[in-house]
Amino acid sequence: MKKTLASIIVLLTAQIVFAQTLFTYGKKEQYAVDKALFLSAFNKNNPEDKSLQAKREYLEQFYIPFKLKVQAARDSQLDTLPFLKYELENYKRQVADDHLVAESAVQALCAEAYTRSLRDIRLSHIFVPFANASRSDPEEEATDTAAAYNKITAAYNALRGGAGFAETALRYSEDPAAKLNNGDIGFITAFSLPYALENIAYGLETGQFSAPYKSKGGYHLLFKAAERPAFGSIQGAQVLLAFPPGITQGEKQVLRLRADSLYKALQSGADFGQLARQYSSDYNAAATGGALNPPFRIGRYEPVFEAAVTALSRDGAFTPPVETAYGIHIVKRESHLPVTTDSLRAMEELKPQVMNDTRIRIANVQQEQKILAAVGYEKRFANDSLLWEITAALVTNEAEYALPENVSMHTTLFTIGSESRTLAEWVAYIQTIKNNYRQGSPIPYATLMRHYVANTAKKYYRDHLELYSPAFRKQLEEFEEGNLFFEIMGREVWNRGADEEKKLIRFYKRHRSQYIWGESINAILFTAIEKKAADDIRSAPQQYIDAWRSFTQTAEGSIIADSSRFETAFVPGYHPAMKEGELSVLSETEGDGPYSLLYIIRKIPGGAVKTFQEARGFVISDYQSELDKKWLQKLRKKYPVRIHEAVFDTL
């Protein structure tokens, strides 16, 4: 009874272990291929047909042969070839960065940016800067911060007491623009403000003001005045009459009169691009006709400018002269580009902005914590204050300083995975960056140690990424297997077929009855990249036909021509009704070129046997197929394959 029970347990355990193994191969050493691995490869290569029959065909005709050939390459030690190892390491360096950012955090930030991009928010702003924000003296900075804090607190209390935001901004804000706009900065959208301020803005209700926020430069108060569906952007152009530095009121008046004249000329039908090229101060205007690049987007310009542009209701409309601090603008709307409602597409388009914005620090911090946990960070030197004292003494080269008892330059400060960092390495790191700090100012050792640990862990993680990231490991394996496959296919099939001339001729003689000409033509085939070049051939065909060889040598690739015998079944633009000496109609590939034209010299009936040279390309292909078939038969004997049908049925 015990023996039977033990046998059942062993059997059940074996079934659980191999439950997801789709097939095995090999004699002495069994290689197993997982169901999920196969499905991943199948889905990449068969986007439409997901039937069980399609999976069977892919498994037996492509996937198993691929795996057997890769295994043959490994057994032949092709994976030790220096150039293949170099390519793998180079690829590893190229793709590692994609796995060093927490993708889930990036996707969350993209989703957040997309949601915010659907709404424009009108904001007002009070700003009180630190009087000496750039100084490094901590006592002086504290005094400056306190003064700014007292002023922003007074503004905040005034708002809480019922004062209007505009009058409060005019009274307290030290933003120079506040005297002109009462703190109104107009509409903003995602990426218009630093991320911290954007978070505050999108967290406010309409009519609500924020608590004071401290940035590196000072204190901020925000007020949400209104909200609307996102405007999107405008592709447009402008005539800019810029205000040079030190411009007088009289000079401004001259520019205002000129702007009025230009506006009237536009109303009378003058060409906008021509006026921009002739009068605009924008240095790109001469080449672009005043085009606004990138397209006009909310949150980048002064409110009065944005209000005028967003008020344009149709393409082709232009604003009256708009005066800003930079000059006088007349803006034309070429087209309106609304915010896309396709969230997946929008998030993909927003990703580069997210990756280059300060908000990516959130994802980086999350990834740093994940990396530290993954690699096994362990702090070995526990006394931080002593370490900072030792570091300061060694960095300043105090000759009289003696290391404390039981501490040496080889003392381990922390370990990361299988590596350690010593006091000597830490001091060397500080030596390289100490000049970033003013002489006499304290170096923030605790902050620098956090960076040092994080950077060390990140490098270790990158160097051993395949141990921690299944996705990266899979990506490397796919790349390596692809290289091994191509290398061994070249050795066993492709190069042999092209190089073995005598064997090719013998193969041709054995199978010459296969290489029969179908209905064919002697013809000149013209291929043009651009439609205009094809139209030129159509307009003067004989000129091109008579000199097709010399002409194509001077066409710099815009037109390619070839004269040969072609089987009509494979010639674009051919029709049985065409006659000798006739040029075909234009044949276009996939809607956007290239464009083909066919000139028939002579029609030839089918049935003749092709010569070896005429059939050479087909002979090489067939010969290589035969080599591949025989080689695969040997591999199946060397590595017997067993498909687990029960697992296959679950596909």
Side-chain angles (χ1 to χ4, degrees):
M1 176 67 181
K2 289 182 179 179
K3 183 177 179 181
T4 304
L5 182 59
S7 300
I8 293 173
I9 291 173
V10 170
L11 179 61
L12 289 174
T13 303
Q15 288 176 340
I16 292 170
V17 169
F18 292 105
Q20 296 302 307
T21 297
L22 181 59
F23 68 92
T24 58
Y25 59 95
K27 286 183 179 178
K28 294 181 181 179
E29 187 174 358
Q30 287 285 309
Y31 303 100
V33 177
D34 188 82
K35 162 186 169 180
L37 192 65
F38 166 76
L39 279 176
S40 175
F42 173 82
N43 290 329
K44 282 183 182 179
N45 293 284
N46 295 270
E48 296 179 0
D49 189 353
K50 303 294 185 184
S51 67
L52 202 60
Q53 179 61 31
K55 293 182 175 73
R56 173 70 71 179
E57 291 175 0
Y58 182 76
L59 176 67
E60 296 189 352
Q61 296 177 22
F62 298 100
Y63 194 70
I64 288 175
F66 173 80
K67 283 292 184 181
L68 299 186
K69 291 171 183 178
V70 169
Q71 190 59 50
R74 293 191 190 281
D75 289 348
S76 299
Q77 298 187 323
L78 299 187
D79 53 343
T80 65
L81 292 173
F83 78 93
L84 288 183
K85 292 173 69 175
Y86 171 79
E87 285 188 5
L88 183 62
E89 284 302 314
N90 190 44
Y91 179 75
K92 180 178 177 179
R93 287 192 296 270
Q94 290 175 16
V95 301
D97 283 342
D98 294 337
H99 296 266
L100 292 177
V101 178
E103 187 61 27
S104 59
V106 172
Q107 288 300 313
L109 290 169
C110 290
E112 177 188 72
Y114 169 66
T115 301
R116 291 177 177 179
S117 73
L118 298 176
R119 296 183 292 149
D120 294 339
I121 291 176
R122 184 159 195 165
L123 286 180
S124 292
H125 177 226
I126 294 173
F127 177 57
V128 181
F130 303 143
N132 295 286
S134 63
R135 296 187 183 180
S136 57
D137 187 316
E139 292 185 2
E140 195 169 62
E141 186 176 339
T143 302
D144 294 333
T145 302
Y149 176 76
N150 290 335
K151 190 169 187 178
I152 202 71
T153 300
Y156 183 57
N157 287 335
L159 292 172
R160 294 178 68 187
F165 200 92
E167 65 183 79
T168 306
L170 194 60
R171 179 179 178 186
Y172 290 100
S173 183
E174 295 183 31
D175 181 350
K179 292 181 174 59
L180 300 174
N181 60 21
N182 294 335
D184 180 12
I185 61 175
F187 281 95
I188 63 100
T189 187
F191 300 102
S192 297
L193 300 175
Y195 185 55
L197 293 177
E198 180 188 304
N199 282 336
I200 294 171
Y202 276 91
L204 293 173
E205 299 292 335
T206 301
Q208 183 183 13
F209 54 84
S210 70
Y213 168 74
K214 181 182 178 183
S215 70
K216 290 183 179 180
Y219 286 99
H220 308 257
L221 279 170
L222 296 180
F223 171 70
K224 179 179 175 181
E227 179 181 312
R228 70 182 182 196
F231 173 77
S233 58
I234 279 182
Q235 185 72 60
Q238 73 164 337
V239 177
L240 169 63
L241 304 180
F243 292 157
I247 188 172
T248 65
Q249 285 300 320
E251 291 168 333
K252 282 187 177 181
Q253 187 59 31
V254 171
L255 290 180
R256 291 180 186 122
L257 293 173
R258 181 181 298 170
D260 288 339
S261 297
L262 294 174
Y263 181 61
K264 290 175 182 176
L266 290 169
Q267 288 180 312
S268 299
D271 181 81
F272 194 96
Q274 185 59 41
L275 291 184
R277 279 186 282 270
Q278 187 172 353
Y279 294 102
S280 184
S281 306
D282 184 347
Y283 67 91
N284 282 322
T288 65
L292 285 169
N293 287 314
F296 165 80
R297 183 169 167 265
I298 289 300
R300 291 184 178 177
Y301 305 98
E302 290 185 23
V304 63
F305 179 90
E306 294 196 350
V309 176
T310 55
L312 296 173
S313 58
R314 59 179 176 81
D315 295 347
F318 45 85
T319 67
V322 181
E323 189 168 324
T324 70
Y326 301 99
I328 304 173
H329 314 252
I330 302 175
V331 183
K332 179 184 178 183
R333 167 173 155 172
E334 303 283 3
S335 61
H336 178 228
L337 310 172
V339 175
T340 179
T341 56
D342 183 342
S343 60
L344 293 178
R345 174 186 160 198
M347 287 170 61
E348 195 62 32
E349 292 174 349
L350 287 168
K351 189 173 182 179
Q353 286 183 270
V354 168
M355 297 298 288
N356 290 306
D357 190 67
T358 55
R359 66 191 74 203
I360 197 60
R361 292 175 187 167
I362 295 172
N364 289 336
V365 168
Q366 290 182 10
Q367 186 69 347
E368 282 179 7
Q369 297 304 313
K370 176 184 173 183
I371 287 173
L372 285 173
V375 299
Y377 163 70
E378 184 179 347
K379 185 175 181 179
R380 294 288 184 87
F381 197 98
N383 192 334
D384 286 345
S385 59
L386 177 59
L387 179 58
W388 311 152
E389 176 188 321
I390 294 171
T391 304
L394 292 173
V395 167
T396 54
N397 296 315
E398 293 184 8
E400 301 299 321
Y401 183 79
L403 288 171
E405 188 178 353
N406 298 325
V407 177
S408 76
M409 298 302 287
H410 301 293
T411 297
T412 297
L413 302 185
F414 61 88
T415 59
I416 295 285
S418 59
E419 296 180 359
S420 60
R421 290 294 179 268
T422 63
L423 176 61
E425 292 170 307
W426 160 248
V427 172
Y429 166 71
I430 295 298
Q431 290 281 14
T432 63
I433 62 172
K434 66 179 182 180
N435 291 333
N436 295 341
Y437 300 88
R438 293 188 180 184
Q439 192 170 4
S441 65
I443 299 176
Y445 293 120
T447 300
L448 293 176
M449 177 58 83
R450 286 196 297 273
H451 292 321
Y452 183 58
V453 169
N455 290 337
T456 303
K458 188 174 181 179
K459 182 180 184 305
Y460 185 88
Y461 186 78
R462 171 196 278 273
D463 292 342
H464 302 83
L465 190 53
E466 59 270 31
L467 301 178
Y468 303 105
S469 171
F472 180 71
R473 183 166 60 249
K474 179 184 174 186
Q475 200 170 353
L476 283 188
E477 287 174 356
E478 288 178 351
F479 181 82
E480 183 185 30
E481 286 187 347
N483 275 358
L484 289 172
F485 175 80
F486 280 101
E487 181 63 23
I488 199 163
M489 281 294 289
R491 294 175 179 229
E492 296 289 339
V493 178
W494 297 329
N495 294 341
R496 287 179 58 192
D499 296 340
E500 298 178 348
E501 190 75 7
K502 290 182 179 179
K503 292 182 179 179
L504 282 175
I505 293 173
R506 287 199 298 269
F507 181 86
Y508 163 75
K509 289 178 178 178
R510 291 199 310 270
H511 302 89
R512 62 184 299 165
S513 61
Q514 297 177 199
Y515 306 111
I516 305 298
W517 277 109
E519 180 184 332
S520 55
I521 53 175
N522 280 339
I524 302 172
L525 179 63
F526 294 97
T527 303
I529 304 302
E530 302 290 339
K531 187 174 184 298
K532 182 181 182 304
D535 289 338
D536 289 343
I537 298 173
R538 289 285 304 166
S539 63
Q542 202 60 47
Q543 172 187 335
Y544 289 86
I545 291 165
D546 292 343
W548 68 268
R549 187 176 282 105
S550 60
F551 176 77
T552 54
Q553 291 173 353
T554 60
E556 299 181 350
S558 62
I559 297 176
I560 301 169
D562 183 26
S563 180
S564 184
R565 181 175 177 177
F566 304 102
E567 290 189 297
T568 57
F570 306 106
V571 179
Y574 177 78
H575 189 276
M578 290 180 63
K579 300 176 182 179
E580 294 178 356
E582 184 173 317
L583 189 69
S584 71
V585 296
L586 193 65
S587 174
E588 183 179 356
T589 304
E590 298 179 357
D592 57 355
Y595 304 86
S596 299
L597 287 163
L598 183 69
Y599 176 74
I600 299 177
I601 300 171
R602 184 166 64 96
K603 289 188 173 185
I604 307 169
V609 176
K610 294 180 181 178
T611 65
F612 173 71
Q613 288 302 327
E614 290 172 336
R616 182 182 177 83
F618 296 100
V619 173
I620 290 175
S621 177
D622 293 343
Y623 179 63
Q624 288 178 346
S625 295
E626 184 175 272
L627 287 176
D628 189 37
K629 182 179 179 181
K630 291 179 178 178
W631 179 42
L632 188 56
Q633 288 172 350
K634 292 179 181 178
L635 292 179
R636 287 184 179 275
K637 290 180 180 178
K638 184 177 180 180
Y639 309 110
V641 177
R642 182 190 166 210
I643 299 174
H644 294 222
E645 295 295 343
V647 176
F648 180 84
D649 289 342
T650 67
L651 296 176

